[in-house]
Amino acid sequence: MVPILTVNDVKLTIDGRPILKGVNLVVNEGEIHAVLGPNGAGKSTLASLIMGINDLKEPDSGEIIFQDKLVNGLDITERAKLGITLAWQEPARFEGITVEEYLKLSGRNNPELDVVECLELVGLDCSYLNRFVDDTLSGGERKRVELASVLAMRPKLAVLDEPDSGIDFASMEDIANMIKTMRDRGTTVLMITHREEIAEIADRATLMCDGKVVQTGNPKDVGQKFKTMCVKCEVRNPELVGGE
Amino acid sequence: MATKNVLDTVAKKFIQIGLPKDLFERNRFNLLVDRNKIIVRYPAPGVRSEVIETPTGVKTKVYVEPGTKLEEPVTLCFGAAETTEVQTTEGEIVVGEGADVKFQVYGAMAEGIKLKHKNKLKVRVEKNARFEFLDLHYNGEDTFVELDTETDAYIGENAYFRSVFKQTRGRAGKVRIVLKAQVDKKGVAVFETKMIGKKDDEIYVEDVIHLNGEESRGISKSRIIAVDETKATFVGETYGNAPRCRGHIDCSEVIRGKDVTVKAVPVVVVNDETAKVTHEAAIGSIDKKQLETLMARGLTEDEAVDVIVQGMLR
Ligand SMILES: Nc1ncnc2c1ncn2[C@@H]1O[C@H](COP(=O)(O)OP(=O)(O)OP(=O)(O)O)[C@@H](O)[C@H]1O
Ligand SMILES: [Mg+2]
């Protein structure tokens, strides 16, 4: 197995508060890798550091390596050109830009771009092409368009921050299938999720808690650990273990 | 009227600054004026008009017959192919009862020219009529225009008037745009201004809407992108004078560069307890998340800014 992304002892402090406390993570080329963990564990922060967004261009210490290249300090465009992209937990809204234009911009370097197919894969029909990517799209529709734009771009590595949030329960399978399609077309997927049924499609999973990686392994074991550990975790629930 | 030669010369200069080629190829103009000369005149069905050349420009009177409904927009162009000191345009438009028309008006100031353009327009939209007035301005990057335009509109009972001022390419120059509306019972006035200022451009936009009739509505929306050392001011005033009238002012201006000055002044005045006028005003640099989203798809920062700005100005 060839690692495509290596996160090496990454530490980050924001406003004097340690958020990431030495994160180690290896994502292999071609896999779907799920990241689980309670709210505030540092999952989105890690995603931001991988893409270089939110003024998080580099950690305080540690390395982020993409295909043998150190990406610490690179700007967002440079990382995207290497083949990394990210889909936000809460995607941005754009005034005056249509779904079609957005997908075409995202896929401008993809010679096989088929915008209608991208939409279909996320469960939207072609009537959405001339809708605007603004606040007239519902939350779930906007999330789907975001995933479609990742499909359009066809990156080497897609970091998906909670692709399932805001998606109705009945459509969960569509989203799961779409992520598998993404992988089958050559995109390695690092996806953050809270849902077991989505984590199950992963090839491997990592559990994060309190700024650290607790376990990496097969999704079932990691999911199990998440459930049992987090219920009685003293970080999250001090009262359960007799804390104050 | 002018010869084909004159038209060709004007066409070339106006297409160069971005006017759609198709307008000339298919000769879509109902009226085309270069400085103070009428180049094309072709009446639209149901629209009576009078146009006279004056020493510095033209005077027009337009009457849209009641009940006239046009699929195609009435297309006009007031431009200048060469430098001239002043161009004055004066107009009066009456849209008769129940008519439904759209005017597409191109303001074209050829590359590199300098001029002062003064415009005064009176609009009257009669009962149950719908009138859209799209004022599309094209200036060259090296054009310098001092534009001073005032529109006074009366919107009758249950009538609709939308006026859009758009200048999304080239330089704005020194611009003063004043739009005023008196809105009668159940009438609707929509004012939109979308423009971009560069270098030392100065932009002043003032929208004043008086909601005088019961259940009348007004929307005043501005999107001004200020780059380099541009100074821009937007004043939106809406007066809720009648029962159950509704007004909204929405200004969202974007600054790009350390030396821009942008001021947005929403003024809401309500004289009836059942009236409601709201406003939102935002001045800021380009939304970071929008920028980062496009960059994460591989666009450079400048490309991303361009996409976002053109979207806002659409
Ligand atoms: N810019 C910031 N300023 C201050 N604190 C921050 C900042 N960004 C993140 N944090 C804090 O860092 C911690 C981790 O946040 P992060 O968003 O990474 O969590 P998460 O694992 O993605 O949680 P969730 O499941 O709720 O999305 C949180 O306690 C959060 O409050
Ligand atoms: Mg998160």
Side-chain angles (χ1 to χ4, degrees), chain A residues 150-169:
Chain A
V150 174
L151 283 164
M153 180 181 174
R154 203 178 279 197
K156 290 180 186 156
L157 173 69
V159 181
L160 310 180
D161 196 350
E162 301 196 22
D164 47 47
S165 74
I167 303 287
D168 61 83
F169 190 73

Side-chain angles (χ1 to χ4, degrees), chain A residues 14-15 17 19 37-46 89 162 194:
Chain A
I14 300 178
D15 296 336
R17 214 181 113 209
I19 306 291
N39 296 131
K43 306 180 296 296
S44 294
T45 306
L46 178 63
Q89 193 169 340
E162 301 196 22
H194 288 290

